[in-house]
Coordinates of all heavy atoms in Angstrom, one line a residue:
L10 N 104.2 128.7 104.2 CA 105.0 129.7 103.5 C 105.7 130.6 104.5 O 106.9 130.9 104.4 CB 104.1 130.5 102.6 CG 103.6 129.9 101.3 CD1 102.7 130.8 100.5 CD2 104.7 129.3 100.5
R11 N 104.9 131.1 105.5 CA 105.5 131.9 106.6 C 106.6 131.2 107.3 O 107.6 131.8 107.7 CB 104.4 132.4 107.5 CG 103.6 133.5 106.9 CD 102.7 134.2 108.0 NE 101.6 133.3 108.4 CZ 100.4 133.3 107.9 NH1 100.2 134.1 106.8 NH2 99.5 132.6 108.4
L12 N 106.4 129.9 107.6 CA 107.4 129.1 108.3 C 108.7 129.0 107.5 O 109.8 129.1 108.0 CB 106.8 127.7 108.6 CG 107.7 126.8 109.5 CD1 107.8 127.4 110.9 CD2 107.1 125.4 109.6
L13 N 108.5 128.6 106.2 CA 109.7 128.5 105.3 C 110.5 129.7 105.2 O 111.7 129.7 105.2 CB 109.2 128.0 104.0 CG 108.8 126.5 103.8 CD1 108.3 126.2 102.4 CD2 109.9 125.6 104.3
V14 N 109.8 130.9 105.1 CA 110.5 132.1 104.9 C 111.3 132.5 106.2 O 112.4 133.1 106.2 CB 109.5 133.2 104.4 CG1 110.2 134.6 104.5 CG2 109.0 132.9 103.1
G15 N 110.7 132.2 107.3 CA 111.2 132.6 108.6 C 112.3 131.8 109.1 O 113.2 132.2 109.9
L16 N 112.3 130.5 108.8 CA 113.3 129.5 109.3 C 114.8 130.0 109.1 O 115.6 129.9 110.0 CB 113.1 128.1 108.8 CG 112.0 127.3 109.5 CD1 111.8 126.0 108.8 CD2 112.2 127.2 111.0
P17 N 115.2 130.4 107.9 CA 116.6 130.7 107.7 C 117.1 131.9 108.5 O 118.2 132.0 108.8 CB 116.6 131.1 106.2 CG 115.4 130.4 105.6 CD 114.4 130.4 106.6
Y18 N 116.2 132.7 109.0 CA 116.5 133.9 109.8 C 116.2 133.7 111.3 O 116.3 134.7 112.0 CB 115.8 135.1 109.2 CG 116.0 135.2 107.7 CD1 115.0 134.8 106.8 CD2 117.2 135.7 107.1 CE1 115.1 134.9 105.5 CE2 117.4 135.8 105.8 CZ 116.3 135.4 104.9 OH 116.5 135.4 103.6
S19 N 115.9 132.5 111.7 CA 115.5 132.3 113.1 C 116.7 131.8 113.9 O 117.6 131.1 113.3 CB 114.4 131.3 113.2 OG 113.2 131.7 112.5
T20 N 116.8 132.1 115.1 CA 117.8 131.5 116.0 C 117.4 130.1 116.4 O 116.2 129.9 116.5 CB 118.0 132.4 117.2 OG1 116.8 132.5 118.0 CG2 118.5 133.8 116.8
P21 N 118.3 129.3 116.8 CA 117.9 127.9 117.3 C 116.9 127.9 118.4 O 116.0 127.1 118.5 CB 119.2 127.3 117.7 CG 120.2 128.0 116.8 CD 119.8 129.4 116.7
G22 N 117.0 128.9 119.3 CA 116.2 128.9 120.5 C 114.7 129.3 120.1 O 113.8 129.0 120.9
A23 N 114.6 130.0 119.0 CA 113.2 130.5 118.6 C 112.4 129.5 117.8 O 111.2 129.5 117.7 CB 113.3 131.8 117.8
I24 N 113.1 128.4 117.3 CA 112.4 127.5 116.4 C 111.4 126.7 117.1 O 110.2 126.5 116.6 CB 113.5 126.6 115.7 CG1 114.3 127.4 114.7 CG2 112.8 125.4 115.1 CD1 115.3 126.6 114.0
P25 N 111.6 126.1 118.4 CA 110.5 125.4 119.0 C 109.2 126.2 119.2 O 108.1 125.6 119.0 CB 111.1 125.0 120.4 CG 112.6 125.0 120.2 CD 112.8 126.1 119.2
G26 N 109.3 127.5 119.5 CA 108.1 128.3 119.7 C 107.4 128.5 118.3 O 106.2 128.5 118.3
Q27 N 108.2 128.6 117.2 CA 107.6 128.7 115.9 C 106.8 127.5 115.5 O 105.8 127.5 114.9 CB 108.6 129.1 114.9 CG 109.2 130.5 115.1 CD 110.3 130.8 114.0 OE1 110.3 130.2 113.0 NE2 111.1 131.7 114.3
L28 N 107.4 126.3 115.8 CA 106.8 125.1 115.5 C 105.5 124.9 116.3 O 104.5 124.4 115.8 CB 107.8 123.9 115.8 CG 108.8 123.6 114.8 CD1 109.8 122.5 115.3 CD2 108.3 123.3 113.5
K29 N 105.6 125.2 117.6 CA 104.4 125.0 118.4 C 103.2 125.9 117.9 O 102.1 125.5 117.8 CB 104.6 125.3 119.9 CG 103.5 125.0 120.8 CD 103.9 125.2 122.3 CE 102.8 124.7 123.2 NZ 101.5 125.2 122.9
Y30 N 103.5 127.1 117.5 CA 102.5 128.0 117.0 C 102.0 127.5 115.7 O 100.8 127.6 115.4 CB 103.1 129.4 116.8 CG 102.2 130.4 116.1 CD1 101.1 131.0 116.8 CD2 102.3 130.7 114.7 CE1 100.3 131.9 116.1 CE2 101.5 131.5 114.1 CZ 100.4 132.1 114.8 OH 99.6 133.0 114.1
F31 N 102.9 126.9 114.9 CA 102.5 126.3 113.6 C 101.4 125.2 113.7 O 100.4 125.2 113.1 CB 103.7 125.8 112.9 CG 103.5 125.0 111.6 CD1 103.1 125.7 110.4 CD2 103.5 123.7 111.6 CE1 102.9 125.0 109.3 CE2 103.3 123.0 110.4 CZ 103.0 123.6 109.2
Y32 N 101.7 124.3 114.7 CA 100.7 123.2 114.9 C 99.5 123.7 115.7 O 98.4 123.1 115.5 CB 101.4 122.0 115.6 CG 102.3 121.3 114.7 CD1 103.7 121.3 114.8 CD2 101.8 120.5 113.6 CE1 104.5 120.6 113.9 CE2 102.6 119.8 112.8 CZ 104.0 119.9 112.9 OH 104.8 119.2 112.1
D33 N 99.6 124.7 116.5 CA 98.5 125.1 117.3 C 97.5 125.8 116.4 O 96.3 126.0 116.8 CB 98.9 126.1 118.4 CG 99.6 125.4 119.6 OD1 99.5 124.2 119.7 OD2 100.3 126.1 120.4
M34 N 97.9 126.2 115.2 CA 97.0 126.9 114.3 C 96.0 125.9 113.6 O 95.1 126.3 112.9 CB 97.7 127.6 113.2 CG 98.5 128.8 113.7 SD 97.5 130.1 114.5 CE 96.5 130.6 113.0
A35 N 96.2 124.6 113.8 CA 95.4 123.6 113.1 C 93.9 123.8 113.4 O 93.1 123.6 112.5 CB 95.9 122.2 113.5
E36 N 93.5 124.1 114.6 CA 92.1 124.2 114.9 C 91.4 125.3 114.2 O 90.2 125.2 113.8 CB 91.9 124.5 116.4 CG 90.5 124.4 116.9 CD 90.4 124.5 118.4 OE1 91.4 124.4 119.1 OE2 89.2 124.5 118.9
S37 N 92.2 126.4 113.8 CA 91.6 127.5 113.1 C 91.4 127.2 111.6 O 90.8 128.0 110.9 CB 92.4 128.8 113.2 OG 93.7 128.6 112.6
L38 N 92.0 126.1 111.2 CA 91.9 125.7 109.8 C 90.8 124.7 109.5 O 90.6 124.3 108.3 CB 93.3 125.1 109.3 CG 94.5 126.0 109.5 CD1 95.7 125.2 109.1 CD2 94.3 127.2 108.5
I39 N 90.0 124.3 110.5 CA 88.9 123.4 110.2 C 87.9 124.0 109.4 O 87.4 125.1 109.7 CB 88.3 122.9 111.6 CG1 89.4 122.2 112.4 CG2 87.2 122.0 111.3 CD1 88.9 121.8 113.8
L40 N 87.5 123.3 108.3 CA 86.5 123.8 107.4 C 85.1 123.5 107.9 O 84.9 122.6 108.7 CB 86.6 123.2 106.0 CG 87.9 123.5 105.3 CD1 88.0 122.6 104.0 CD2 88.0 125.0 104.8
E41 N 84.1 124.4 107.5 CA 82.7 124.1 107.8 C 82.3 122.9 107.0 O 82.8 122.6 106.0 CB 81.9 125.3 107.5 CG 82.1 126.5 108.3 CD 81.2 127.7 107.9 OE1 80.3 127.5 107.0 OE2 81.3 128.7 108.6
P42 N 81.3 122.1 107.5 CA 80.8 121.0 106.8 C 80.3 121.3 105.4 O 79.7 122.4 105.2 CB 79.6 120.4 107.7 CG 79.9 120.9 109.0 CD 80.6 122.3 108.8
R43 N 80.6 120.5 104.4 CA 80.2 120.8 103.0 C 78.7 120.7 102.9 O 78.0 119.8 103.5 CB 80.9 119.7 102.1 CG 82.4 119.8 102.1 CD 83.0 118.7 101.2 NE 84.4 118.8 101.2 CZ 85.2 117.9 100.6 NH1 84.7 116.9 100.0 NH2 86.5 118.1 100.6
R44 N 78.2 121.7 102.2 CA 76.8 121.7 101.9 C 76.4 120.7 100.9 O 77.1 120.5 99.9 CB 76.3 123.1 101.5 CG 76.5 124.2 102.5 CD 76.2 125.6 102.0 NE 77.1 125.9 100.9 CZ 77.0 127.0 100.2 NH1 76.1 127.9 100.4 NH2 77.9 127.3 99.2
T45 N 75.2 120.1 101.0 CA 74.7 119.2 100.0 C 74.1 120.0 98.8 O 73.6 121.1 99.0 CB 73.6 118.3 100.6 OG1 72.6 119.1 101.1 CG2 74.1 117.4 101.6
R46 N 74.2 119.5 97.6 CA 73.8 120.2 96.4 C 72.3 120.3 96.5 O 71.5 119.4 96.6 CB 74.2 119.5 95.2 CG 73.8 120.2 93.9 CD 74.4 119.5 92.7 NE 75.8 119.4 92.7 CZ 76.5 120.4 92.2 NH1 75.9 121.5 91.6 NH2 77.8 120.3 92.2
S47 N 71.8 121.5 96.4 CA 70.3 121.8 96.4 C 69.7 122.0 95.1 O 68.5 122.3 95.0 CB 70.0 123.0 97.4 OG 70.7 124.2 96.9
F48 N 70.5 121.9 94.0 CA 70.0 122.1 92.7 C 70.7 121.2 91.7 O 71.8 120.8 92.0 CB 70.2 123.6 92.2 CG 71.6 124.0 92.4 CD1 72.6 123.9 91.4 CD2 72.1 124.7 93.6 CE1 73.9 124.3 91.6 CE2 73.4 125.1 93.8 CZ 74.3 124.9 92.8
P49 N 70.0 120.8 90.7 CA 70.7 119.8 89.8 C 71.8 120.4 88.9 O 71.8 121.6 88.7 CB 69.5 119.4 88.9 CG 68.6 120.5 88.9 CD 68.7 121.1 90.3
R50 N 72.7 119.6 88.5 CA 73.7 120.0 87.6 C 73.1 120.4 86.2 O 72.2 119.7 85.8 CB 74.8 118.9 87.4 CG 75.7 118.8 88.5 CD 76.8 117.8 88.2 NE 77.7 117.6 89.2 CZ 78.7 118.3 89.5 NH1 79.0 119.3 88.7 NH2 79.5 118.1 90.5
T51 N 73.6 121.4 85.6 CA 73.1 121.8 84.3 C 74.3 121.9 83.3 O 75.4 122.3 83.7 CB 72.4 123.1 84.3 OG1 73.2 124.2 84.8 CG2 71.1 123.0 85.1
V52 N 74.1 121.6 82.1 CA 75.1 121.7 81.1 C 74.8 123.0 80.3 O 73.8 123.1 79.6 CB 75.1 120.5 80.1 CG1 76.2 120.7 79.1 CG2 75.4 119.2 81.0
K53 N 75.7 123.9 80.3 CA 75.5 125.2 79.6 C 75.9 125.1 78.2 O 76.9 124.3 77.9 CB 76.3 126.3 80.3 CG 75.8 126.6 81.7 CD 76.6 127.8 82.3 CE 76.1 128.2 83.7 NZ 76.9 129.3 84.3
R54 N 75.3 125.8 77.3 CA 75.7 125.8 75.9 C 77.0 126.4 75.7 O 77.4 127.4 76.5 CB 74.6 126.6 75.1 CG 73.2 126.0 75.0 CD 72.3 126.8 74.2 NE 71.0 126.3 74.1 CZ 70.6 125.5 73.1 NH1 71.4 125.1 72.2 NH2 69.3 125.0 73.1

């Protein structure tokens, strides 16, 4: 969303830096391993 909003107002020379920052953020987006269910499913009334 931030990339899309910013692109129309960016100069051509600034775009490569924005792209590099965009992809460099990938490491911060890694999720923690999913926890295994420790309790049974229940059907509520």
Side-chain angles (χ1 to χ4, degrees):
L10 291 180
R11 284 194 287 270
L12 185 67
L13 287 178
V14 173
L16 281 179
Y18 310 101
S19 301
T20 61
I24 288 178
Q27 294 181 20
L28 282 178
K29 189 175 187 309
Y30 175 78
F31 174 75
Y32 284 109
D33 286 346
M34 293 300 295
E36 190 171 353
S37 67
L38 299 175
I39 299 175
L40 296 170
E41 295 183 359
R43 295 176 182 174
R44 296 175 296 177
T45 56
R46 183 177 295 275
S47 59
F48 52 89
R50 287 185 180 272
T51 59
V52 179
K53 295 183 178 180
R54 294 181 181 270

